[in-house]
Amino acid sequence: MHSNSYEPNFVLSKTNKKHTDMDRKDFLKKGLLGTGMFVASASLGNTMKNEIDEIEPLEPIGYNHLPNPDSKIKDNSVIHKADTRGKADHGWLVSNHTFSFANYHNPERMHFGVLRVLNDDKVEAGRGFGTHPHDNMEIISIPLEGDLEHKDSMGNTAIIKSGDIQVMSAGTGIMHSEFNKNNDQSVKFLQIWVYPNKRNVTPRYDQITLDKTKSKNKFQQILSPNPDDEGVWIHQDAWFHLGNFENSTETNYQVKKKGNGVYAFIIKGSAEIEGQKLEERDGFGVWDISDLQIKATSENTEILIMDVPMMM
């Protein structure tokens, strides 16, 4: 596949002049620019320029969603059922968007605190994302099935697969591509974007392979703000945990920092969190709490916990 076969339609570059001025104003109004996918900076030696260089990032102000009417704790929670997510089917790529992304725009679903993007992606065999830019965003990839090859402008080439976690600090600007090199199977992965707490940092890349025994019937830390802690680290006071639970296993999750909220995503199986029933690929966000009671309600329930600041 050619490297330009994936061009996000909200990156307005010389290679994509089909957008009219009206389109441009519309995209600016929606506030989707300056959120990670951006023109390559001059420091990359890339000459791409456009009219939206000066766009400021979206400023998250707290709880950008309607309360959850079905919850016992509706004043401080939100539920996003799997079938209510935005969906983009490009043939080679099927992506489910928990939050507004590209052509999916829902003013009630722009972000959860500093958690800006939660995309559930499936890429067909032999296909992938061509080289594209990001800036000032922490980008986390969690492969679920298959192998994904990563290449970037820092010279990194790597394969990530289930059991790995990859992180990029886009900072002042990076270019990268992601490709499914297998000819016989699709690849599934979660792509997550978190606003950083520092702008224009030096770009960096890291990946690790997790010890899956550490997530059996308990939560394993896979990301934190601390480079010396378990997992990868990002420029934000955020902690991610993964757990694989047998049916009826109960656990308590303690929020890591006062003022943080927790967004739980059910990768597979089902669970009850604070009494809220959740099925596969449902998302549930809670804030103004110090801990969460979690119970798996099916065998092999896998849960991703994202503990994030609710304010920039």
Side-chain angles (χ1 to χ4, degrees), residues 63-80 112 262 273-277 284-289 292 310:
Y63 323 108
N64 178 259
H65 29 56
L66 297 173
N68 168 21
D70 303 324
S71 171
K72 298 175 185 139
I73 50 171
K74 64 184 174 187
D75 291 340
N76 62 322
S77 73
V78 62
I79 187 165
H80 298 137
F112 179 82
V262 173
I273 300 181
E274 291 293 309
Q276 175 69 57
K277 289 183 167 60
F284 182 56
V286 191
W287 56 94
D288 292 340
I289 38 106
L292 286 175
M310 295 308 290

Side-chain angles (χ1 to χ4, degrees), residues 15-289:
T15 57
N16 188 0
K17 280 292 183 189
K18 63 178 181 276
H19 292 295
T20 65
D21 287 338
M22 282 301 291
D23 284 332
R24 238 178 231 116
K25 288 192 182 78
D26 196 37
F27 277 103
L28 302 193
K29 201 165 63 189
K30 287 179 178 179
L32 286 170
L33 295 162
T35 57
M37 280 198 145
F38 214 60
V39 294
S41 69
S43 64
L44 292 171
N46 192 306
T47 55
M48 279 204 310
K49 278 303 221 182
N50 62 35
E51 297 84 349
I52 48 105
D53 292 13
E54 73 285 354
I55 298 302
E56 289 299 307
L58 185 72
E59 286 291 332
I61 42 172
Y63 323 108
N64 178 259
H65 29 56
L66 297 173
N68 168 21
D70 303 324
S71 171
K72 298 175 185 139
I73 50 171
K74 64 184 174 187
D75 291 340
N76 62 322
S77 73
V78 62
I79 187 165
H80 298 137
K81 299 296 285 181
D83 61 2
T84 67
R85 296 176 295 172
K87 185 172 182 178
D89 187 344
H90 302 285
W92 65 273
L93 165 71
V94 176
S95 184
N96 286 283
H97 312 311
T98 293
F99 303 105
S100 294
F101 188 84
N103 286 335
Y104 169 60
H105 177 71
N106 179 340
E108 268 102 49
R109 286 167 73 158
M110 296 299 292
H111 58 90
F112 179 82
V114 300
L115 175 61
R116 175 61 189 84
V117 168
L118 173 54
N119 285 353
D120 182 1
D121 289 349
K122 177 184 175 185
V123 178
E124 289 304 319
R127 305 300 294 271
F129 299 87
T131 304
H132 58 279
H134 295 276
D135 80 350
N136 285 311
M137 193 65 70
E138 302 293 301
I139 298 169
I140 300 106
S141 297
I142 303 177
L144 304 176
E145 289 177 25
D147 307 321
L148 192 67
E149 182 179 71
H150 163 96
K151 289 184 179 176
D152 65 42
S153 52
M154 295 175 281
N156 298 299
T157 300
I159 305 280
I160 55 170
K161 55 188 181 296
S162 177
D164 295 343
I165 180 166
Q166 176 202 77
V167 66
M168 284 192 306
S169 296
T172 52
I174 55 167
M175 304 282 289
H176 81 134
S177 62
E178 295 156 304
F179 201 77
N180 179 4
K181 289 196 86 169
N182 292 316
N183 292 319
D184 57 350
Q185 67 177 71
S186 58
V187 62
K188 294 179 183 177
F189 69 106
L190 301 179
Q191 184 169 144
I192 300 163
W193 296 4
V194 174
Y195 285 105
N197 55 17
K198 290 183 188 137
R199 284 183 62 79
N200 298 323
V201 299
T202 302
R204 74 183 174 93
Y205 172 87
D206 194 19
Q207 76 175 74
I208 60 168
T209 298
L210 302 168
D211 177 354
K212 286 193 167 184
T213 62
K214 291 185 176 178
S215 62
K216 185 165 172 59
N217 288 326
K218 61 181 186 284
F219 282 112
Q220 172 187 14
Q221 181 175 293
I222 64 170
L223 175 148
S224 80
N226 185 350
D228 300 323
D229 261 8
E230 191 174 7
V232 294
W233 67 276
I234 61 170
H235 294 282
Q236 187 52 271
D237 291 329
W239 288 260
F240 286 14
H241 288 75
L242 268 178
N244 285 281
F245 300 98
E246 295 168 314
N247 195 9
S248 301
T249 305
E250 294 190 41
T251 187
N252 179 275
Y253 177 81
Q254 299 279 329
V255 180
K256 296 293 176 280
K257 185 178 179 184
K258 190 171 172 58
N260 275 17
V262 173
Y263 195 90
F265 186 72
I266 310 298
I267 294 174
K268 63 183 178 189
S270 61
E272 277 185 22
I273 300 181
E274 291 293 309
Q276 175 69 57
K277 289 183 167 60
L278 300 164
E279 305 294 330
E280 192 161 300
R281 297 314 210 253
D282 288 351
F284 182 56
V286 191
W287 56 94
D288 292 340
I289 38 106

